[in-house]
Amino acid sequence: MNSLASVGKKAIAPQLITYPIVETFHSLQGEGTWTGMSAFFIRLAGCDVHCPWCDQKESWTSKIYPQQSVTMLAQTAKAANPAMVVITGGEPLLYDLFPLTQALRKLGLRVHLETSGAHPFTGQFDWVTFSPKPFKVPHHSIYSQVNELKVVVATSDDLPWAEEQANKVPSSVVKYLQPEWNHPESQSLIFDYILDHPQWRMSLQTHKFLGVR
Ligand code: SF4
């Protein structure tokens, strides 16, 4: 992305500010609190967290993806008429998200973020889903911004990590444990854990069960 929305005191026009984009698509939100609602996804390219079970490994390298302007992204999202726009990745906080979120909000769109929190927080959001990963420790700036904590669980080793992160977010935050898709045994692990730890809920990747994006 062109670094900031201004150089010195001079604003850069939104059509000149760009981000590397893997894809944009209109679907239903498959995970967490907003499951089942119409959502327009903007998937930014680039991630340096490198989770071994990542289902978006093709998004890790940003250089191979085309740049799209803030203006184009906002107009495309608006035309889809979704209940919300979800900025995801990759790891979106690699970039300054203020220009993109400002443009989306200017069009009256509700804006959500899905992030591992591995980089300093930027942007203005209506909802922040924080999905911390032990492979790159989150930046401290994320913790006061979180609406929803979603910890992916592959093995029982991930549960202490989930508790450690839950202790760092405000008590009002909704807390989810989500089975890692390629570790189906994690479903029963989470099921049993939540019976004993009622502060948690289970999040399922319903879009994968439906066979849609
Ligand atoms: S943070 Fe997300 S995009 Fe990055 S490696 Fe982990 S699961 Fe994949």
Side-chain angles (χ1 to χ4, degrees):
M1 195 198 101
N2 293 322
S3 57
L4 287 172
S6 64
V7 173
K9 302 240 183 258
K10 199 171 172 189
I12 297 178
Q15 63 268 28
L16 299 179
I17 302 169
T18 64
Y19 298 83
I21 300 297
V22 176
E23 60 180 347
T24 61
F25 60 97
H26 191 191
S27 185
L28 302 190
Q29 172 59 280
E31 306 172 3
T33 301
W34 300 87
T35 293
M37 293 192 69
S38 168
F40 186 83
F41 291 84
I42 299 176
R43 187 182 306 287
L44 273 68
C47 185
D48 57 358
V49 181
H50 294 182
C51 307
W53 37 255
C54 176
D55 61 2
Q56 295 295 331
K57 284 186 172 137
E58 67 278 5
S59 74
W60 288 2
T61 306
S62 60
K63 288 181 187 150
I64 60 174
Y65 293 101
Q67 298 277 329
Q68 286 192 35
S69 73
V70 163
T71 303
M72 177 63 73
L73 289 165
Q75 287 176 349
T76 307
K78 180 68 176 176
N81 192 29
M84 69 200 74
V85 177
V86 181
I87 299 176
T88 185
E91 175 40 67
L93 287 177
L94 280 170
Y95 307 97
D96 176 4
L97 297 178
F98 276 111
L100 180 56
T101 55
Q102 282 168 349
L104 292 165
R105 291 165 69 91
K106 210 169 168 182
L107 293 179
L109 293 162
R110 184 181 172 86
V111 188
H112 291 199
L113 174 67
E114 168 92 22
T115 179
S116 70
H119 294 275
F121 189 87
T122 55
Q124 279 184 296
F125 293 93
D126 298 289
W127 188 264
V128 174
T129 301
F130 173 43
S131 187
K133 307 297 189 312
F135 314 105
K136 188 169 173 69
V137 173
H139 189 268
H140 62 83
S141 57
I142 187 68
Y143 291 103
S144 62
Q145 305 291 336
V146 181
N147 299 105
E148 168 182 271
L149 172 68
K150 186 178 69 187
V151 181
V152 177
V153 174
T155 72
S156 58
D157 291 344
D158 295 316
L159 295 169
W161 166 254
E163 294 293 355
E164 182 188 316
Q165 295 302 304
N167 286 334
K168 293 185 175 183
V169 298
S171 57
S172 59
V173 166
V174 189
K175 301 174 188 69
Y176 288 99
L177 298 174
Q178 181 169 289
E180 200 289 304
W181 187 255
N182 293 311
H183 290 76
E185 67 279 9
S186 62
Q187 294 175 14
S188 57
L189 178 69
I190 291 172
F191 187 98
D192 291 340
Y193 190 80
I194 292 176
L195 292 182
D196 289 335
H197 302 82
Q199 67 273 32
W200 290 97
R201 308 180 193 190
M202 184 186 277
S203 171
L204 295 174
Q205 293 180 294
T206 56
H207 54 296
K208 292 189 178 179
F209 285 102
L210 290 172
V212 299
R213 282 193 297 175

